[in-house]
Amino acid sequence: MTISFNNQTIEVEDRMVLSNFVFHQLGEKQNGIAVAINGEVKPKAGWEEVQLCENDDVLIIKATQGG
């Protein structure tokens, strides 16, 4: 299935849940991130229940340190 991830079109497995997608993209380093699907932020506690759909727009934002 095709989705948009951080403004790039990619192919992912059908019926992939958000937690698996984030793990495939970031590995275990998931601290300090926010995830939105189609402009709606998804709380981390619910990632296991969120199933990606064809043409979803997924955005992952990482917090950075600095000054």
Side-chain angles (χ1 to χ4, degrees):
M1 126 179 104
T2 303
I3 66 168
S4 174
F5 169 57
N6 288 4
N7 298 317
Q8 295 182 349
T9 301
I10 65 169
E11 292 288 323
V12 298
E13 298 174 20
D14 287 343
R15 301 181 184 158
M16 179 173 273
V17 293
L18 183 57
S19 59
N20 290 345
F21 177 76
V22 172
F23 180 79
H24 285 354
Q25 298 303 318
L26 304 178
E28 304 226 358
K29 298 179 182 179
Q30 299 179 14
N31 292 334
I33 66 167
V35 179
I37 299 177
N38 302 324
E40 181 182 335
V41 175
K42 300 296 182 180
K44 190 171 186 175
W47 289 359
E48 290 285 333
E49 290 83 39
V50 176
Q51 188 171 329
L52 297 177
C53 298
E54 183 79 24
N55 298 319
D56 272 350
D57 183 16
V58 181
L59 179 64
I60 296 179
I61 300 170
K62 298 180 189 177
T64 59
Q65 292 178 315

